[in-house]
Amino acid sequence: MKSEGFYLSIEAIASMLMLVILLSMPLPESRNYMQDLHDFKKGNDLLILWARQGTSLNLEQMRKDFEFAFPGKSALISLDSEKAVVGKQGREAIASKAFFFGSALEKHEISLAIFKEYSA
Amino acid sequence: MATTAKGFVFSLDLAVSFTAMLLMALLLLMHLGIAGEKQEIEFRQMELNRTALFLADSIVKNSNPEKPALGSAAFDKERARVLANELDAGLLGEIQEMEKNGFFIASISLKEIGGSEKTVFSKPAGKNCTALDRIVSAQGRIAKMAVQLCEK
């Protein structure tokens, strides 16, 4: 009896399986896992210093401080109802908020949202 | 005449395919080895970054006259509290060698907004280093404090 077919030996199956496993296992990429936490802490540093300045704070100064602290980065900064975008607005951000009180105990709110950047 | 003989049957194609399988197994083990080594390096780098982050945090959030490398923030005696992110120039100038978990501080520098960078502490750098900065207030002005941490 003559029959056509495809013969596959056990060791060939094992070899092909190993080849598939080898090709499907990529090497881990280098990433800085602490970058977000670092940006978050730096952002909080700025908020603490801004809150300490109190009512003498203004949006223009906040913009300059942010550009000094985070060169090349973008953010959305706000002081009470005033808002300003530094750089290009992004989608994802690391955001923090702080409050301080004026001399008449009026509440002021400052917030900072640092836009995340993804490297290519 | 039928004969029965015991022994090994050797075929060339079987030998070749078996060798190919062993080669595949070797390649797989080598790949796993490389991936494992890379992960170890990544883990060490993550530890370095984490230690640097926490050390910098400690410098700006704590006040430790005995070990200024662990706390250089100003202390408000009247209110009896640490002024986070406000550096005490005296404590900063007294920073000495600091080592933790196989890492050491290589340098600390301060750059005021609109000013030049000043090195507060410096030591020869190690083989693998990381640097990060924090925002502080130094003598009433906003400044960037950069900390460089190296592996021993």
Side-chain angles (χ1 to χ4, degrees), chain A residues 9-12 14-16 18-19 21-22 25-34 37-39 41-46 48-50 52-53 61 64-65 67-71, chain B residues 13-14 17-18 20-22 24-25 27-28 31-32 34-35 38-39 42 46 49-50 53-54 57 60-61 83-86 111-114 132-137 142-144:
Chain A
S9 63
I10 291 171
E11 65 271 9
S15 301
M16 278 202 304
M18 276 185 244
L19 184 64
I21 293 168
L22 197 70
M25 266 174 47
L27 285 173
E29 287 173 16
S30 293
R31 282 174 56 193
N32 186 352
Y33 295 96
M34 299 287 155
L37 182 58
H38 178 220
D39 285 347
K41 283 186 170 285
K42 260 176 78 174
N44 278 354
D45 290 344
L46 266 181
I48 287 169
L49 296 173
W50 284 341
R52 215 170 264 160
Q53 284 182 36
Q61 190 196 333
K64 282 181 187 166
D65 291 345
E67 283 170 351
F68 168 72
F70 294 89
Chain B
D13 54 347
L14 184 65
S17 59
F18 193 68
M21 187 189 74
L22 287 178
M24 279 296 144
L27 286 173
L28 185 70
H31 182 90
L32 287 171
I34 292 168
K38 200 165 185 215
Q39 275 203 330
E42 287 281 311
M46 195 180 79
N49 290 337
R50 189 186 63 160
L53 200 68
F54 291 162
D57 209 50
V60 303
K61 302 288 184 193
L83 297 171
N85 291 85
E86 205 166 300
K111 185 184 175 185
E112 286 179 19
I113 191 168
L132 54 86
D133 51 4
R134 293 296 294 266
I135 310 305
V136 295
S137 170
I142 283 186
K144 228 189 269 190

Side-chain angles (χ1 to χ4, degrees), chain B residues 26-105:
Chain B
L26 178 68
L27 286 173
L28 185 70
L29 287 171
M30 278 172 67
H31 182 90
L32 287 171
I34 292 168
E37 265 176 35
K38 200 165 185 215
Q39 275 203 330
E40 206 183 311
I41 293 168
E42 287 281 311
F43 181 72
R44 195 74 184 141
Q45 189 62 36
M46 195 180 79
E47 255 201 77
L48 178 66
N49 290 337
R50 189 186 63 160
T51 306
L53 200 68
F54 291 162
L55 208 60
D57 209 50
S58 184
I59 293 172
V60 303
K61 302 288 184 193
N62 298 320
S63 183
N64 191 335
E66 285 169 27
K67 279 186 184 174
L70 292 177
S72 289
F75 184 76
D76 188 341
K77 286 177 186 170
E78 210 177 293
R79 293 190 180 99
R81 67 173 184 216
V82 177
L83 297 171
N85 291 85
E86 205 166 300
L87 295 186
D88 183 322
L91 284 179
L92 207 61
E94 284 172 19
I95 287 179
Q96 287 173 8
E97 287 185 14
M98 173 69 200
E99 210 180 281
K100 189 172 173 62
N101 298 341
F103 307 115
F104 67 95
I105 296 178

Side-chain angles (χ1 to χ4, degrees), chain A residues 16-116:
Chain A
M16 278 202 304
L17 211 65
M18 276 185 244
L19 184 64
V20 166
I21 293 168
L22 197 70
L23 292 172
S24 61
M25 266 174 47
L27 285 173
E29 287 173 16
S30 293
R31 282 174 56 193
N32 186 352
Y33 295 96
M34 299 287 155
Q35 188 59 44
D36 285 353
L37 182 58
H38 178 220
D39 285 347
F40 178 72
K41 283 186 170 285
K42 260 176 78 174
N44 278 354
D45 290 344
L46 266 181
L47 285 173
I48 287 169
L49 296 173
W50 284 341
R52 215 170 264 160
Q53 284 182 36
T55 48
S56 64
L57 190 65
N58 60 67
L59 212 59
E60 191 50 40
Q61 190 196 333
M62 286 168 78
R63 178 194 286 271
K64 282 181 187 166
D65 291 345
F66 176 80
E67 283 170 351
F68 168 72
F70 294 89
K73 282 215 166 184
S74 308
L76 174 69
I77 52 177
S78 75
L79 172 61
D80 294 326
S81 55
E82 289 177 66
K83 282 182 176 36
V85 175
V86 182
K88 196 178 167 185
Q89 189 155 0
R91 278 192 199 173
E92 280 188 55
I94 298 162
S96 294
K97 205 183 275 190
F99 301 93
F100 65 91
F101 294 91
S103 52
L105 293 179
E106 74 280 15
K107 187 174 148 189
H108 296 276
E109 183 182 303
I110 40 175
S111 74
L112 173 65
I114 305 162
F115 296 119
K116 286 166 100 170

